[in-house]
Every structure is written in structure tokens, then in C-alpha cells.
Amino acid sequence: MAPDKNRATAAAILPLVGGAQNITSVAHCMTRLRLGLADRSLVDDDALKALPAVLGVVEDDTYQIVLGPGTVARVTPELEALVAESGADAEPRPEGAEHAPTASELAAQGAAIKEARKAKNATPFKLFLRRIANIFVPLIPALIGCGIIAGFNGLLINLEWLPSITPALTAIASGFMALIAVFVGYNTAKEFGGTPILGGAVAAIIVYAGVANIEAFGQKLSPGQGGVLGALGAAVLATYVEKWCRKWVPEAVDVLVTPTLTVLVSGLVTIFGLMFLAGEVSTGIGTAANWLLDNTGAFAGLVLGGLFLPLVMLGLHQALIPIHTTLIEQQGFTVLLPILAMAGAGQVGCAIAVYKRLRHNTSIRTTIKSALPAGFLGVGEPLIYGVSLPLGRPFVTACVGGAAGGAFIGFFSMLGDKVGSTAIGPSGWALFPLLDGNENLGLTVAIYGGGLLVGYLVGFLATYFFGFSKQMLIDLNADVDAGESPTARAEAEPTPAKAPATV
């Protein structure tokens, strides 16, 4: 998308979310523009969804506009610039941007479901998980970039090409992962209300080479022990120590005493406690993930692939982010992400089946045609919230497709062929450049591709044959754009005669 188009997209979005004065915060993740809004009632959902660049909207603790990978990173700064120039004239709303009635009804149902889910997800535990996600999500672009370079470098090494370049690529790909604990500490302190640089300073102790000379719990520490979990714990502790100091230390000496005590107290606890404990937890996570897939691979894949979308609906998927990061830090890749990505494959297969079954409903078919390309690339929100979730049964059959794809990849893991991802964030076809495993790259890619095909096929078949009741087909299978009612369609098409029963 060209810069002028990015600015045009931002300019079109701004008035539809209530203007610059209604925006309290602007951020983005891999696919979504996340806006804090002063007044939710000022948002025009239908007009937003009708914008060509908008793939869907999701309402959670922030108002999230799905723009897709790449696009969102370019549109966000343009919107921030427009908000900063709040005195500028607002762009007029685009006209003729209304969905067809049936798609609007589905969108309304999806919005109601999201609103109910938002209320249910506002528990202290789930709010805590969101804070954890806020720590790791900003790291995803670096994980992706370094992961792709690592994969490309591994290919060059295996082919014995460019031996003078591969050491440099190794350094580029590995530098971020070697210091990821520092970035986690920085983001953690920022998220929990502390001074970010103090969180980073305490977390840096974990990766400092000199800790190898320190003994704790009867054994020598090793640089990096505890990893991102240790960094997270250390930074949280530093934040609470800092807040205590701000409360009790006199202002005259605060600038000297508070940072010193924060780093000293948190650092000592990190060295003589957190590094060892977090190291044991991190090792346990890696061991558990490997055991699970080595011994119950197909079943584990079935459960993980089938339940991932419901986990997303409940907001519990955020608990997996530090687990993914820990596995990448330990093993170089996470074996869980490719399995979880099969949930998106089931969703794509489901959408294709809905498209086939509702052949007279041009409104829903148009929605699916516009959302499918993003679905293949792993951006599933438009299909989930615009099609399968409001329809109900197709959402369940989509989960069946995800379960089948996950079982396929899990089965090969039982055979010793692990499929992993060197980064988190991408899914679907977008995950191919990040694939890695314990076997050659060609086999890894083939297994993941086979899992996608299984997810597409089973999601399609499950939805085609079991995704609709007869009444649903009558109610939905009408060309509402042409003003045709479901009853008229049912009356116009004679019911085929039943074949004679055979014994």
C-alpha cells in the first residue's frame, strides 16, 4: 500500500471512530490497529467495516480494527500524525459503504457476541493475561525478522553456500534472542507502571556473562538461566520496589536512592532466587511440550488445534505467548504454534463450505470472498466474527477442521519429525518462511503444508455436511440483495422427491 493510500486509510478511519478528540491511545499489534476511545457510541461500525482496507473490527479492552500484517504498521503512524494534527478538518465519511442486510445481521450478531465475551473476559486473571500479552506483543516484529533470517541462514549452511556470509547472518539472527530478556524487562516495567529502563537493567543481569561465577542453591548459575520468565519476574519485582521507594524516600534524595535500591534489591533477589526458580520452570515447559508431542502427539494436536479458537474467545490464548517465547529461547523454535495455526485452516475450509452452501446469498458470499485471502494468510478475524461465529454451527465445524490439522502435525511429531516456528505472530501461509524443526527443511515444510490441507478439507467437509440445519439453509439461502425472502426461495424451489426406501 503506497504512503498516500496509508494516509487516506487513516483519514477515512479517523472520523468513523469519533474524530481525534475521541481517541485516547493508538497502538498496533501484528494485524490490528488498537484504539483507546473516550466514547464508544461515537464509532460507526458499519462504515468502518465497509472501508476497503478494513478486514473487520474486534471490541475488547481496546477498539481493534483489523487491517492485516504490513498494512497496520504503515497506517498506525499516519493515524497518529492525524490525531496530533487534531485541528485539521475531518474527512467525510465514505458513501455507499453499507453491507447487504444479511451480512449486517451477521455482523450485529458478531458484535453482540464480542460484547458479551468482553464482559466475561474482564476478570482479574484475564486482565492480568492481557498485561502479559502487552509485554510480548511489541517484540513480535523483531522475532519475525530474526526468525526469517535464521531460517534463510540455516538453508545456506545446509547447502554450504556463502560460508563467508553465514557467520554474519548468525550474529544478526541471534543478537536479539541473546538479549530478549532485557527487552522483556523493559516492557514489563512499562506495563506495570515502573521506570522501563530500571526493569531492563535488572533483567540484564540474567544475560550477563559474569553470573557464571555465582553459585546459588548449590550450583553455578549460567548466563540466560531463567530466560524471559526470570526477566518478567525480576522487572515486576523492580517495579514494586521502585513504587515503595517513591512512597517513602524523601524527594531530596529520591533521584539517588530510588534507582539504587531498586536495582540492588531486585538484582540480589534475581540472582539468588528468581534465576534458579525461573530456570526450573522454563526447563519444565520445554520438557513438558516435548513429552506431550512425543508421546501423545496426535491427541495433543487434536485438542490444541480444536480448542484454540475457543481459547481466543475466552481470552486465555494470551497465556501461551510467554510459553512460545520460552520454547523459542530454549530450542530455537516453538512446536506449539504450527499446531495452533491449524485452527485458522479449519476456519478457511469452513468459510469455503459456507460459500458453497449459501449459493443464493450474495451478501454472505461477498463477505467471504473479501475475507478469504486474509484467512489464507492467517488473519482469521473477518471470517470468525463476520461469518462462522454468528452462524453458530459453522464455528464448531471450523474447530473440527483445526483439530484434524493439529492431529496431523502431532502424529508426525510422535514419529520424531517435529515442526516448529522460529517466531510468533504469523499463521497460515505466512508461517512458511518461519518454519524450522529437527529434520530437514523440506520435510518440515511438507508436514506443515499437509496439516493446512487437512484442516482446509476437514473444515470444508464438516461444515458442508453438518454446519447447517434444514431451517438454517432455508433462512439464509436467499438473495437478500435482490429483495428475495427466504420463504419465497423455499416456495420457488420444489422439494425433490424422496427416493424409494430400500431394504
Side-chain angles (χ1 to χ4, degrees):
M1 185 179 287
D4 56 330
K5 290 186 178 180
N6 295 325
R7 191 167 183 85
T9 298
I13 289 173
L14 186 58
L16 301 182
V17 295
Q21 300 303 317
N22 194 42
I23 296 177
T24 60
S25 65
V26 180
H28 74 88
C29 61
M30 278 295 300
T31 61
R32 305 178 187 180
L33 172 64
R34 297 170 180 259
L35 302 178
L37 300 176
D39 186 352
R40 170 66 182 83
S41 65
L42 297 179
V43 178
D44 191 335
D45 294 293
D46 290 338
L48 267 175
K49 294 173 187 175
L51 293 178
V54 174
L55 303 176
V57 297
V58 178
E59 190 171 356
D60 208 330
D61 54 329
T62 56
Y63 190 79
Q64 302 170 14
I65 302 172
V66 184
L67 298 175
T71 301
V72 69
R74 292 169 172 81
V75 172
T76 300
E78 297 291 350
L79 184 67
E80 289 175 329
L82 289 174
V83 171
E85 303 163 3
S86 56
D89 294 336
E91 294 287 334
R93 295 187 180 186
E95 296 184 6
E98 294 192 5
H99 284 300
T102 300
S104 296
E105 291 171 5
L106 286 182
Q109 293 177 38
I113 293 170
K114 285 182 282 184
E115 186 63 33
R117 180 174 58 84
K118 178 184 176 183
K120 290 181 180 179
N121 285 350
T123 63
F125 176 67
K126 291 174 184 176
L127 291 174
F128 173 75
L129 290 182
R130 285 181 197 163
R131 301 187 78 173
I132 298 300
N134 290 340
I135 294 167
F136 288 92
V137 166
L139 306 179
I140 290 177
L143 284 169
I144 293 173
C146 295
I148 291 177
I149 293 171
F152 178 67
N153 191 46
L155 181 63
L156 292 180
I157 292 173
N158 290 335
L159 296 174
E160 299 183 353
W161 289 356
L162 303 176
S164 61
I165 299 296
T166 51
L169 293 178
T170 299
I172 294 170
S174 305
F176 173 73
M177 289 306 303
L179 297 174
I180 190 173
V182 179
F183 296 100
V184 169
Y186 183 95
N187 286 348
T188 300
K190 182 178 179 182
E191 179 66 26
F192 281 84
T195 302
I197 198 65
L198 291 180
V202 174
I205 297 169
I206 292 174
V207 295
Y208 174 57
V211 297
N213 300 320
I214 301 172
E215 190 172 293
F217 294 95
Q219 59 181 287
K220 291 278 189 179
L221 295 177
S222 59
Q225 185 173 342
V228 295
L229 298 182
L232 193 155
V236 170
L237 176 62
T239 298
Y240 282 103
V241 172
E242 181 188 0
K243 289 180 178 179
W244 184 89
C245 290
R246 300 289 184 201
K247 183 177 180 180
W248 294 104
V249 173
E251 290 185 9
V253 294
D254 177 72
V255 69
L256 297 175
V257 174
T258 296
T260 303
L261 286 179
T262 298
V263 174
L264 178 62
V265 174
S266 304
L268 289 173
V269 174
T270 298
I271 290 171
F272 293 106
L274 284 177
M275 284 186 67
F276 176 81
L277 295 176
E280 293 299 303
V281 173
S282 298
T283 301
I285 288 173
T287 302
N290 289 328
W291 182 91
L292 190 67
L293 293 178
D294 289 344
N295 295 277
T296 66
F299 176 74
L302 182 101
V303 173
L304 292 172
L307 293 183
F308 184 63
L309 288 181
L311 285 177
V312 172
M313 298 298 101
L314 294 172
L316 297 177
H317 66 296
Q318 294 163 338
L320 297 171
I321 296 177
I323 295 175
H324 288 311
T325 309
T326 298
L327 291 174
I328 292 171
E329 192 178 35
Q330 281 187 342
Q331 304 174 4
F333 55 83
T334 168
V335 292
L336 299 179
L337 185 60
I339 291 176
L340 299 176
M342 295 302 107
Q347 195 69 228
V348 168
C350 162
I352 296 173
V354 172
Y355 185 88
K356 291 290 186 182
R357 290 292 267 168
L358 304 184
R359 61 188 184 279
H360 299 297
N361 193 315
T362 57
S363 178
I364 294 179
R365 284 163 66 92
T366 299
T367 300
I368 292 172
K369 280 194 294 185
S370 65
L372 261 182
F376 279 112
L377 292 174
V379 182
E381 289 95 336
L383 291 176
I384 295 172
Y385 294 115
V387 181
S388 66
L389 188 58
L391 288 175
R393 285 172 64 165
F395 179 77
V396 176
T397 54
C399 292
V400 172
F408 180 88
I409 293 181
F411 173 75
F412 279 92
S413 184
M414 290 178 66
L415 299 179
D417 303 319
K418 287 186 171 61
V419 178
S421 170
T422 57
I424 58 177
S427 184
W429 294 359
L431 196 61
F432 276 110
L434 296 167
L435 291 178
D436 197 1
N438 62 337
E439 298 294 339
N440 68 77
L441 184 60
L443 180 59
T444 300
V445 169
I447 294 173
Y448 180 72
L452 287 178
L453 291 176
V454 169
Y456 296 152
L457 181 61
V458 174
F460 174 86
L461 293 176
T463 304
Y464 192 90
F465 291 107
F466 305 106
F468 297 93
S469 65
K470 292 181 179 179
Q471 189 59 46
M472 286 176 67
L473 288 175
I474 293 174
D475 291 341
L476 292 167
N477 214 357
D479 189 355
V480 293
D481 285 339
E484 182 180 16
S485 69
T487 304
R489 166 64 62 181
E491 292 174 352
E493 294 185 356
T495 304
K498 292 184 179 179
T502 57
V503 179

